[in-house]
Amino acid sequence: MHSTREKQASSSFKGNALAAFSFLLWGLMPLYYQYLPNADINELLAFRILFSVPFMALVFLLLGRTMPSMSALKADKRSVVLCGLASLIMCVSWYSFTWAITHGQVLAASLGFFINPLFAIGLGVLFLGDKLTSAQKLAVILGTCGISYMVYSYGELPWLALSMGSFFALYGLCKKFIRFDSLTSVTLEAIWLMPFAAIYLIWLWSSDQSVAISSALSGEVSVLLLYMGTAPLTLLPLVFFALAVRATSLSMIGLMQYIEPSLHFLLAVILFNEHFDQVKAVSFALIWTGLLLCSLEALPTLRHKLLANKHSG
């Protein structure tokens, strides 16, 4: 009995550690992209897609797992097609995020991932029949007020943050209907887009427009390596996250997801010296308040589940 309880506690701790580490890696990602200021985002996206496939193949090999057979894929064509749709949706979110952190807009990236849960709540209500709790309703109202205040003050929508938050929420919604495991679906998403990425990079090279390849040919191999490195950089946290989901509760993961935008915020203000004025302060404060209320509301449920698991052990 004690052995079972100890194993459950160990598994839960391992899952929590993996989840925290994945969000930490995502949160520190702007540090890497500072070596690629004003990067060619289209070429960067193509390199990221192309080298995602061999990287995920290596992950499967290291984990001792095998990709589903062609017969298994044919048996679930719907999920295969949804993986293609998910890859297109993720491209928009990743494109916006990458542009932001390579063009001095890390605060926009932070805002995008802070408001992502609000979009996710809305999509859950519209498409999954979810019912909002009192705290979630208030969080949506406060988040809407925060965005509205920013629009009123600046006279324009925060497009970068909204595109990141909304498309990442759509990506999560799409993944709800994919029956493959996380690692398999991520690999299939890259495979769907790999031919287009390869054709685009070949065209860039043949027309002498490739930044990375031209730099490598002129002796600056580091630029090419940085472009290629975006694949493991963005996928490694996802691998840790996929492993974490198996070992810990979604409630705990939900509470820890704010590690990422919090780190983005601190890096933007403290390290990158981005302008943080009164308007952003008010907008962020309203959104943070809503998310804090949701987190506080979730804590008793999380505590109850942890106690139930403990007693069942």
Side-chain angles (χ1 to χ4, degrees), residues 29 33 41-49 89-101 113 163-164 167-168 227 230-231 233-234:
M29 208 170 287
Y33 283 97
I41 305 301
N42 294 320
E43 185 176 5
L44 203 58
L45 179 60
F47 267 99
R48 189 261 190 191
I49 293 169
I89 294 172
M90 174 52 80
C91 274
V92 178
S93 179
W94 191 84
Y95 188 98
S96 303
F97 172 71
T98 308
W99 194 95
I101 61 179
F113 287 113
S163 62
M164 271 183 281
F167 275 89
F168 195 70
Y227 271 65
T230 57
L233 176 76
T234 52

Side-chain angles (χ1 to χ4, degrees), residues 19-213:
F21 187 59
S22 67
F23 288 120
L24 179 67
L25 290 177
W26 270 317
L28 294 175
M29 208 170 287
L31 294 175
Y32 181 93
Y33 283 97
Q34 291 307 300
Y35 293 102
L36 292 168
N38 302 310
D40 184 325
I41 305 301
N42 294 320
E43 185 176 5
L44 203 58
L45 179 60
F47 267 99
R48 189 261 190 191
I49 293 169
L50 185 64
F51 284 91
S52 291
V53 177
F55 176 75
M56 290 307 298
L58 179 61
V59 169
F60 272 92
L61 181 65
L62 292 175
L63 293 178
R65 296 177 54 182
T66 56
M67 281 283 291
S69 62
M70 286 303 297
S71 58
L73 296 178
K74 289 179 180 179
D76 195 355
K77 294 178 182 177
R78 181 171 176 267
S79 290
V80 174
V81 172
L82 284 173
C83 283
L85 177 61
S87 66
L88 293 174
I89 294 172
M90 174 52 80
C91 274
V92 178
S93 179
W94 191 84
Y95 188 98
S96 303
F97 172 71
T98 308
W99 194 95
I101 61 179
T102 55
H103 289 75
Q105 297 289 323
V106 180
L107 269 178
S110 174
L111 178 62
F113 287 113
F114 270 125
I115 62 178
N116 165 253
L118 304 180
F119 279 111
I121 289 171
L123 290 176
V125 171
L126 290 174
F127 297 101
L128 302 176
D130 293 348
K131 302 296 182 183
L132 294 186
T133 64
S134 298
Q136 287 173 333
K137 290 177 182 177
L138 189 54
V140 171
I141 293 171
L142 289 171
T144 304
C145 290
I147 298 297
S148 300
Y149 180 71
M150 195 175 288
V151 173
Y152 173 77
S153 301
Y154 293 147
E156 60 181 11
L157 284 167
W159 289 112
L160 271 177
L162 290 175
S163 62
M164 271 183 281
S166 59
F167 275 89
F168 195 70
L170 283 170
Y171 176 74
L173 177 66
C174 189
K175 299 280 275 189
K176 285 278 188 181
F177 300 97
I178 296 174
R179 287 188 284 266
F180 301 128
D181 64 86
S182 297
L183 297 182
T184 299
S185 63
V186 168
T187 306
L188 288 175
E189 289 163 25
I191 290 174
W192 264 106
L193 295 178
M194 185 176 67
F196 302 100
I199 292 170
Y200 179 70
L201 288 174
I202 291 171
W203 175 77
L204 283 180
W205 173 70
S206 63
S207 59
D208 200 28
Q209 297 183 59
S210 172
V211 175
I213 297 175

Side-chain angles (χ1 to χ4, degrees), residues 23 249-259 291-292 294-299 302:
F23 288 120
S249 68
L250 289 178
S251 301
M252 181 62 76
I253 288 175
L255 291 175
M256 286 194 289
Q257 72 176 343
Y258 303 118
I259 293 174
L291 296 177
L292 178 63
C294 287
S295 299
L296 291 175
E297 184 185 56
L299 282 175
L302 178 60

